[in-house]
Structures are given as C-alpha cells and as structure tokens.
C-alpha cells in the first residue's frame, strides 16, 4: 500500500490565501480482499441482471422494473466502490484533511490537540468505513489497513472529538501532525 504522492518537505509554513503548502499526502487503498469481495458482488449482480429475466421469461413490464432495480443497486454499489475504497490524507499549512471520495473532513491547526499512532480495533467502532461511536469517537477506516492515527480535535461547537484515520504510514503522519500542533501552540 504505497501512497500515490508524498512530499519530502517537512516545514509547515503559515497559511497562504492562494496556496496551501502540502507537508504530507498519501492515498491509502483498501486491501485486495476488499476489492475481491466487491468484484465478486459485481459478478453476482451482473449474472442476476442478465440471467433472471431470461430464465423466468419475464414480460416487458416486469423485466423493465427488474432492470431498473438492478441498475439502481449497481449504481449505488459503484458509488461506494469509487468513494470508500481509497482514503486520502493530507497535511498542509492549513491543517489536516482526510477524505473518502467526495466526503471529506477538514480541521485547521487551531482545532488539532494531539495525534498518536494506534492499531485499528474494528470491534470498538463497529466495522470499517466512516463510523460514529458514542462519546465523541469517530473512525475513517479501511478494511485491511491495520494501523492509523488517532487525532484529538475540537470542533466548531467546542466539543472534543477523537478521530481514528487509517494510514499506510501512521508514524510519519502522527509525527507530522504533532510537529504542526506544537508549532501552533508555541509559535
């Protein structure tokens, strides 16, 4: 699980209104097992999509409804495949951003309190993906990525939250965040 892009520059510059200097960037893919599972589901759906109307000799009105329902299921599955199989983590002069496709969370440096490396315990969060657990704990995790970073933040409402973020390079991400947090506290 190698990141697509990584910058070697470790300095965190003050925010520039036009360009946010990227300090750390990685794209983390779900494991091959997750991709194989999704592929198997796709094959099964396509077999149903083609086979059921032929085997059952559906009339036109029923076949149309079946094709519409199966098309919707395949579209929803495609949305999840595109959006939840790769997690992108970025640390810039503006702060931390992590995203699954179109869904993203951003925190400014002033909102970050601390960061530490941890193993992901999926039972504690109830699975993988985007998870909300009582007590202010959140997870943005990928199946097959055993480690990540737990980041303590203060949200816009002043609530303290804890985010687990899957990472292929959790120690480097944690160190980069901790260095930026210290610079924000002690300029």
């Amino acid at each position: 699980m190698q990141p697509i892009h990584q910058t070697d520059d470790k300095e965190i510059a003050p925010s520039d209104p036009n360009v946010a200097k990227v300090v750390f960037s990685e794209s983390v893919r779900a494991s091959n097992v997750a991709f194989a599972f999704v592929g198997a589901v796709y094959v099964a759906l396509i077999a149903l999509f083609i086979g059921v109307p032929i085997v059952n000799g559906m009339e036109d009105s029923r076949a149309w409804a079946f094709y519409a329902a199966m098309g919707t299921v395949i579209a929803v599955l495609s949305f999840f495949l595109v959006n939840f199989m790769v997690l992108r983590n970025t640390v810039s002069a503006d702060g931390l951003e992590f995203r699954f496709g179109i869904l993203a969370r951003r925190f400014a440096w002033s909102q970050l309190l601390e960061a530490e490396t941890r193993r992901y315990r999926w039972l504690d969060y109830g699975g993988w993906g985007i998870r909300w657990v009582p007590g202010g704990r959140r997870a943005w995790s990928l199946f097959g990525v055993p480690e990540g970073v737990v980041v303590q933040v203060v949200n816009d409402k002043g609530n303290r939250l804890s985010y687990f973020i899957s990472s292929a390079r959790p120690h480097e991400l944690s160190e980069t965040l901790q260095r930026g947090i210290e610079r924000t506290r002690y300029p």
Side-chain angles (χ1 to χ4, degrees), residues 110-121:
S110 61
Q111 294 176 286
L112 301 174
L113 302 174
E114 69 177 289
E116 65 178 305
T117 304
R118 284 220 191 121
R119 284 192 65 75
Y120 185 65
R121 300 183 62 195

Side-chain angles (χ1 to χ4, degrees), residues 107-166:
F107 293 103
W109 286 109
S110 61
Q111 294 176 286
L112 301 174
L113 302 174
E114 69 177 289
E116 65 178 305
T117 304
R118 284 220 191 121
R119 284 192 65 75
Y120 185 65
R121 300 183 62 195
W122 66 272
L123 285 173
D124 292 346
Y125 292 94
W128 293 274
I130 299 175
R131 304 311 231 178
W132 291 270
V133 179
R137 293 186 317 143
R138 312 285 187 257
W140 287 52
S141 60
L142 285 166
F143 179 79
V145 182
E147 289 187 306
V149 175
V150 174
V151 181
Q152 302 293 326
V153 301
V154 175
N155 68 9
D156 297 333
K157 297 176 184 174
N159 299 326
R160 186 179 175 128
L161 301 172
S162 172
Y163 279 86
F164 178 91
I165 307 162
S166 288

Side-chain angles (χ1 to χ4, degrees), residues 30 34-35 37-38 41-42 72-87 100-103 128-132 141-142:
F35 277 99
F37 175 75
V38 171
V41 170
Y42 262 112
T72 302
V73 167
I74 289 173
V76 168
L77 187 61
S78 296
F79 172 80
F80 282 101
L81 177 66
V82 168
N83 283 289
F84 294 102
M85 297 301 274
V86 177
L87 176 64
F100 275 121
I102 62 171
L103 304 174
W128 293 274
I130 299 175
R131 304 311 231 178
W132 291 270
S141 60
L142 285 166

Side-chain angles (χ1 to χ4, degrees), residues 26-66:
E26 71 175 345
S27 291
V28 186
R29 277 181 21 139
S31 74
N32 290 336
V33 172
F35 277 99
F37 175 75
V38 171
V41 170
Y42 262 112
V43 168
L45 286 173
I46 290 171
L48 282 172
F49 194 67
I50 294 169
V52 169
I54 293 171
V55 170
N56 290 337
M58 286 187 186
E59 58 196 51
D60 288 342
S61 62
R62 287 184 55 211
W64 181 87
F66 176 78

